Amino acid sequence: MQPLIYSSQSLNIELKNPEVDVTDDQFHKLVLYTDGRQLQKSTDNHQEVAAHWNGSQLVSDEKSPLGGKMSRTFELSQDGRNLQETLHIDNGRSKSPLVIRYVYDVASSDMQTGPESDPKRPLLKRRPDDSSNSPQ
């Protein structure tokens, strides 16, 4: 559960038809396939997941680390400046799922340097948590 709760500080997204590759700052790769193909067994650094498009949202249905169902939704904002990743985790013990949402801002072009700076593969930086700045 820790990798889901403590998300990456940045993501690199590569769009290929019919797959979307999501690589985090620790080089863990999540490959989402939208064509219903047979998936390979996951390894520590590589995971393949079945997904589908629901309008502009990319949605996966996975097995959670707790053994229940989990869905992951990626959606680009209308202005194209950030990506929201939302996890719905059914833990089986409660009727209400655990919902976690991360917002990643598209990194500016001056932050993307070297051979990795391809405009078709945007680098996304996680937005800082606001919880520590709120008055109590």
Side-chain angles (χ1 to χ4, degrees):
M1 283 293 288
Q2 273 188 319
L4 297 175
I5 295 173
Y6 300 106
S7 183
S8 304
Q9 293 301 311
S10 66
L11 296 178
N12 188 320
I13 309 287
E14 187 171 4
L15 303 172
K16 305 174 188 176
N17 197 15
E19 76 181 73
V20 177
D21 297 347
V22 181
T23 307
D24 68 14
D25 53 1
Q26 300 296 312
F27 303 104
H28 297 109
K29 188 173 190 176
L30 174 66
V31 182
L32 300 128
Y33 289 107
T34 60
D35 61 356
R37 73 176 65 185
Q38 188 70 21
L39 304 175
Q40 295 181 10
K41 193 166 192 159
S42 298
T43 64
D44 286 341
N45 290 333
H46 184 91
Q47 181 181 6
E48 294 185 358
V49 175
H52 63 277
W53 290 102
N54 182 13
S56 62
Q57 297 179 333
L58 180 61
V59 181
S60 72
D61 292 314
E62 308 171 42
K63 186 174 184 178
S64 80
L66 300 173
K69 293 181 180 181
M70 178 176 87
S71 71
R72 186 186 315 242
T73 303
F74 291 97
E75 184 172 22
L76 189 62
S77 65
Q78 287 186 352
D79 63 8
R81 293 185 180 173
N82 62 56
L83 176 88
Q84 291 184 14
E85 176 185 17
T86 306
L87 302 166
H88 291 265
I89 304 168
D90 178 15
N91 65 11
R93 298 178 194 150
S94 171
K95 292 187 183 214
S96 59
L98 173 63
V99 178
I100 302 170
R101 177 170 291 154
Y102 296 106
V103 178
Y104 295 90
D105 294 321
V106 175
S108 63
S109 59
D110 61 333
M111 293 177 73
Q112 299 184 42
T113 58
E116 308 283 317
S117 61
D118 182 350
K120 295 179 184 172
R121 296 173 55 192
L123 178 65
L124 304 161
K125 298 284 186 178
R126 191 175 88 189
R127 194 176 280 178
D129 297 332
D130 293 332
S131 59
S132 61
N133 296 334
S134 61
Q136 296 182 358

